[in-house]
Amino acid sequence: MVNTGDTAWILTSASLVLLMTPGLALFYGGMVRVRSVLNMMMMSFGALGLVSVLWVLYGYSLAFGDDVGGGLLGDPFQYAGLRGLMEDLTSTEGGLPAMAFVGFQAVFAIITVALVSGAVAERMKFGGWMVFAGIWATLVYFPVAHWVFDFSLGDHVGGWIANDLAAIDFAGGTAVHINAGAAALALAIVLGTRRGFGAEPMRPHNLPLVMLGAGLLWFGWFGFNAGSAVAANNTAAVAWVNTLVATAAASLAWLATEKVVGGHATSLGAASGVVAGLVAITPACSSVSPLGAIAVGAVAGVLCSLAIGAKFRFGYDDSLDVVAVHLVGGLWGTVAVGFLATAAAPAGVDGLLYGGGVDQLGRQVIGALAVLVFSFVVTFAIATVLDSAMGLRVVEEHEVAGIDAAVHAEQSYELGVFGGGTPH
């Protein structure tokens, strides 16, 4: 029998996670300069359209088909076109229809691809981004989703991190955030820095948009984390509360760090702290207590805030700090499970600080590093080949004048219409 309550929850959660991609578009769009707002937002919307189609054609099968390669890859033909899944009404032990799970996992794939775009804001061709996004989803995200999210059940054999390594990643610290952050770093290195990087200010053009986007991400993230229980149960409730308090703690910690280091607590810092907390608690929300979640979030707020300066020290132009927030936050949240997990939480595992020894910590570190290295190396190769074959970066005159006008033949604000001055 279909469990209608769980099905309703998972479809609601999928809808919440889908909202995160437009939320990300607002968050990223507000952070860039005015001449590239639409291009930045279009990268998220482009990912939404492209990955949705690829997921149906073969993505779901690569991620959740029967394993065909030592825990590394699902069978790409088993569910191609979602063959046979419309009739599968009880694909899980809990009685969840297969298509509900398909939809829930689809929106994870979409947001992960979209996250990468923040690292190459204001300088990547839209066509190049779309080609890259399709190839990256196919060669990197879909296989890593198999590693992390595909659990063996009955005769079905899933991925190696979920089953053989048994690392805990409840909702995607490795598959989503470390994966996207490592890819962002590789892509930013291949494309090079923006004109004027490090020499001229590149301030966000619209901070209210940034804060609105962060609010929508926080709202949608309850579907991301609590929905990953794949049931309307106690695990979902614990994940919901932990997501709330970790995020709140991270935002406060980011603001405090800003105040100490720079003398001001900023709206951009509050919004960025929210995202850092959400990232860090994602892998840990089923395995830590609410007090542990506060610790995860607070440390994430400090670490991610301080990590932003790394791009200036090392000379890579991660435009919107995907590396500092998603890679650093994802690494901390994944490894934090090994320290702060408590058997009293739904995952039922004790970390080092709760007497569990270093066993789980080792599993967490191996899983995190495996995804980081795989994503960085394969992304670097994809970007290098595409850059040689088609050129991924816009020409300098378009970068200077603005990608919106040159590529999309539009501009974000028609100021002259309102009598506010001449259009520019």
Side-chain angles (χ1 to χ4, degrees):
M1 297 293 292
V2 172
N3 186 316
T4 55
D6 289 348
T7 301
W9 171 237
I10 201 69
L11 292 176
T12 300
S13 295
S15 301
L16 288 169
V17 180
L18 179 61
L19 182 64
M20 290 170 62
T21 297
L24 182 72
L26 290 168
F27 182 72
Y28 279 174
M31 290 176 70
V32 298
R33 290 171 288 183
V34 71
R35 60 196 184 210
S36 301
V37 182
L38 297 178
N39 177 258
M40 189 70 257
M41 299 182 78
M42 280 291 289
M43 293 172 91
S44 288
F45 276 83
L48 198 163
L50 177 63
V51 178
S52 296
V53 173
L54 296 182
W55 189 250
V56 169
L57 294 178
Y58 58 82
Y60 179 79
S61 195
L62 279 172
F64 292 98
D66 289 333
D67 185 76
V68 292
L72 298 175
L73 195 68
D75 184 346
F77 305 107
Q78 183 175 1
Y79 300 123
L82 303 184
R83 180 177 58 221
L85 294 180
M86 288 192 296
E87 300 84 14
D88 186 353
L89 299 182
T90 54
S91 65
T92 69
E93 287 183 324
L96 190 72
M99 292 296 279
F101 186 72
V102 168
F104 182 65
Q105 287 294 334
V107 289
F108 276 65
I110 292 164
I111 190 71
T112 305
V113 175
L115 286 172
V116 179
S117 66
V120 291
E122 303 186 321
R123 64 194 186 279
M124 188 172 186
K125 294 177 181 176
F126 182 68
W129 163 253
M130 293 297 287
V131 174
F132 168 83
I135 295 174
W136 188 83
T138 302
L139 298 183
V140 180
Y141 180 78
F142 298 156
V144 173
H146 178 70
W147 300 1
V148 176
F149 292 144
D150 192 14
F151 290 88
S152 299
L153 181 65
D155 294 332
H156 173 72
V157 178
W160 74 276
I161 289 180
N163 301 287
D164 301 323
L165 183 62
I168 295 174
D169 184 358
F170 189 68
T174 55
V176 176
H177 299 294
I178 294 175
N179 198 4
L185 178 60
L187 190 57
I189 291 172
V190 172
L191 260 71
T193 62
R194 287 168 290 178
R195 184 177 179 273
F197 172 72
E200 61 183 66
M202 298 180 178
R203 299 188 182 94
H205 91 284
N206 192 323
L207 288 169
L209 278 188
V210 175
M211 299 192 79
L212 175 61
L216 289 173
L217 285 169
W218 196 348
F219 178 68
W221 222 289
F222 289 112
F224 199 88
N225 285 359
S228 290
V230 200
N233 58 15
N234 180 62
T235 302
V238 171
W240 198 104
V241 172
N242 283 346
T243 299
L244 173 69
V245 295
T247 306
S251 186
L252 293 174
W254 190 302
L255 289 173
T257 304
E258 278 191 325
K259 181 66 175 176
V260 170
V261 174
H264 300 282
T266 69
S267 60
L268 179 60
S272 299
V274 162
V275 178
L278 291 167
V279 169
I281 198 59
T282 290
C285 57
S286 71
S287 58
V288 299
S289 69
L291 289 178
I294 291 173
V296 169
V299 173
V302 176
L303 288 180
C304 295
S305 178
L306 296 176
I308 287 177
K311 65 182 181 182
F312 300 107
R313 290 194 297 273
F314 296 105
Y316 63 88
D317 186 6
D318 172 21
S319 308
L320 307 184
D321 302 312
V322 183
V323 175
V325 173
H326 294 275
L327 180 55
V328 173
L331 284 169
W332 159 242
T334 300
V335 173
V337 173
F339 289 104
L340 296 171
T342 170
V349 173
D350 279 325
L352 180 62
L353 299 182
Y354 284 81
V358 298
D359 178 68
Q360 193 63 45
L361 178 60
R363 297 174 189 273
Q364 299 303 120
V365 171
I366 291 170
L369 292 180
V371 173
L372 190 161
V373 171
F374 175 77
S375 181
F376 181 86
V377 171
V378 178
T379 303
F380 193 90
I382 294 169
T384 300
V385 170
L386 288 179
D387 196 38
S388 298
M390 61 183 295
L392 291 178
R393 184 164 180 153
V394 298
V395 297
E396 185 175 351
E397 63 184 282
H398 290 170
E399 183 180 345
V400 172
I403 303 177
D404 288 355
V407 175
H408 304 290
E410 298 171 307
Q411 51 191 11
S412 52
Y413 304 103
E414 294 287 353
L415 298 177
V417 174
F418 302 100
T422 57
H424 54 83

